[in-house]
Amino acid sequence: MAQLKRTKDRVIAGVCGGLAKWLGWSPNPTRLLYAILTIFTAFAGVIVYLVLWIVMPEEGVLE
């Protein structure tokens, strides 16, 4: 299984791209699903995204 890392295939920070790669999914549907879940959870996904942006290492660093 791939490691969870932010990708260079990014729109903002590469978090959804990294999640998609980790799960073996396509990045665009993952971004759409994340946006929908964020709306339906009273925007709690924004906080989760910011935390993941800080915690997830970037792809290509120290490889």
Side-chain angles (χ1 to χ4, degrees), residues 4-47:
L4 184 58
K5 294 184 178 186
R6 292 184 290 133
T7 63
K8 296 187 188 301
D9 175 22
R10 59 180 64 181
V11 173
I12 298 175
V15 172
C16 287
L19 286 171
K21 188 172 185 179
W22 184 63
L23 294 170
W25 297 355
S26 178
N28 287 331
T30 304
R31 291 178 183 118
L32 180 63
L33 179 64
Y34 196 88
I36 291 169
L37 288 173
T38 297
I39 291 168
F40 285 112
T41 59
F43 296 95
V46 174
I47 296 168

